[in-house]
């Protein structure tokens, strides 16, 4: 077997292991969810749903989504490196679709991948994005969230997810890895109904404030003093 095939197989195995651990967390944990009415309002708007949270909360969000949301209805972009390959394998096991975006490689191919996601959203798929990912700095959004939101004219649904039963990785986003049988606290915020003509700077500010609010609320629900 060639080195490239071995590398691909290794990344697939990593994705499978991540899926197995995540599913154990998803279905062994208990959830406290606040704000279901905001999801219902976003769905009633008839707009594509764009879930968004700070990057450090991505894994507990996936556990929540695996438990309560239709995985097969999700489509998202992923980075074009080895991490993206692992996450693509992980998403495929969940039943979700991803498109590879490598801005350091071919930006035109990356642009086409993003447009495919937008087309899927317009056809009824949901998407998810962590505005400060994948490499930070924490709480500083990239343009991807406003671009997707405006082009898809989406209902942006901010979500905060927190648990004290987790291991925070020692890195830029303090990425939370929940333990099995965790108590996971979820705060859904009011959806932002985005126009294609929305001012980008104003929209970014609205998203940042909304994400700080729901993250802080999830921390309060978990009995943690909110911090930035």
């Amino acid at each position: 077997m060639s080195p490239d095939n071995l590398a691909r197989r290794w990344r697939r195995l990593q994705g499978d292991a991540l899926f197995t651990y995540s599913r154990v967390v998803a279905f062994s944990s208990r959830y406290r969810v606040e704000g279901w009415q905001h999801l219902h309002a976003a769905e009633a708007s008839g707009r594509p749903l764009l879930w968004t949270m700070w990057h450090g909360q991505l894994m507990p969000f996936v556990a929540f989504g695996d438990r309560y949301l239709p995985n097969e209805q999700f489509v998202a972009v992923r980075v074009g490196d080895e991490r993206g390959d692992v996450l693509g394998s992980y998403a495929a096991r969940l039943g979700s679709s991803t498109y590879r975006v490598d801005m350091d490689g071919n930006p035109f191919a990356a642009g086409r991948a993003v447009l495919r996601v937008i087309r899927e959203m317009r056809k009824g798929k949901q998407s998810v994005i962590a505005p400060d990912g994948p490499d930070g700095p924490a709480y500083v959004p990239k343009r991807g969230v406003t671009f997707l939101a405006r082009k898809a004219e989406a209902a942006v649904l901010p979500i905060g997810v927190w648990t004290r039963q987790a291991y925070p990785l020692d890195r830029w986003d303090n990425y939370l890895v929940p333990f099995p049988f965790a108590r996971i606290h979820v705060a859904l915020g009011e959806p932002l109904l985005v126009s294609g003509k929305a001012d980008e700077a104003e929209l970014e500010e609205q998203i940042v404030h909304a994400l700080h609010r729901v993250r802080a609320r999830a921390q309060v629900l978990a009995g943690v003093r909110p911090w930035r």
Side-chain angles (χ1 to χ4, degrees):
M1 184 178 292
S2 70
D4 285 345
N5 285 336
L6 281 173
R8 281 193 292 270
R9 178 167 292 186
W10 171 239
R11 291 193 289 271
R12 192 180 309 118
L13 287 172
Q14 287 179 286
D16 290 345
L18 187 56
F19 165 78
T20 300
Y21 182 81
S22 176
R23 178 138 289 185
V24 169
V25 171
F27 287 90
S28 67
S29 296
R30 295 174 295 159
Y31 297 83
R32 179 182 181 185
V33 183
E34 183 178 274
W36 281 118
Q37 72 274 17
H38 299 314
L39 172 58
H40 300 326
E43 292 172 333
S45 74
R47 294 168 178 260
L49 261 63
L50 179 59
W51 294 81
T52 184
M53 77 295 301
W54 294 125
H55 196 269
Q57 301 163 81
L58 189 55
M59 191 166 184
F61 166 78
V62 172
F64 161 75
D66 196 17
R67 184 74 173 266
Y68 292 104
L69 304 177
N71 289 328
E72 70 281 358
Q73 289 297 314
F74 273 83
V75 61
V77 296
R78 58 183 171 90
V79 292
D81 55 20
E82 292 184 1
R83 294 172 300 173
D85 292 340
V86 172
L87 293 175
S89 175
Y90 175 29
R93 290 296 306 276
L94 287 169
S96 304
S97 303
T98 59
Y99 290 96
R100 189 174 185 269
V101 173
D102 185 4
M103 293 305 296
D104 295 327
N106 184 339
F108 295 103
R112 287 194 296 270
V114 173
L115 290 176
R116 290 190 190 101
V117 171
I118 292 169
R119 283 198 294 269
E120 292 292 326
M121 291 175 67
R122 288 174 175 168
K123 292 178 182 177
K125 291 291 186 74
Q126 303 179 30
S127 193
V128 57
I129 189 169
D132 55 344
D135 298 311
Y139 310 138
V140 178
K142 311 295 192 300
R143 288 189 59 196
V145 63
T146 54
F147 181 84
L148 275 177
R150 292 168 66 205
K151 291 298 183 182
E153 295 193 312
V156 177
L157 194 61
I159 183 170
V161 193
W162 209 265
T163 177
R164 290 187 294 176
Q165 293 80 44
Y167 180 78
L169 298 184
D170 185 18
R171 52 179 238 178
W172 65 270
D173 58 353
N174 292 307
Y175 193 90
L176 287 179
V177 179
F179 299 136
F181 304 100
R183 178 72 170 172
I184 296 177
H185 303 266
V186 180
L188 298 171
E190 294 184 16
L192 303 172
L193 305 182
V194 180
S195 164
K197 297 180 180 180
D199 180 81
E200 185 173 1
E202 183 178 338
L203 176 59
E204 180 179 292
E205 184 178 2
Q206 290 175 336
I207 291 172
V208 167
H209 286 323
L211 291 183
H212 284 321
R213 282 197 301 270
V214 291
R215 189 225 45 203
R217 181 57 185 165
Q219 289 176 319
V220 168
L221 292 173
V224 174
R225 183 177 180 179
W227 51 267
R228 284 187 60 176

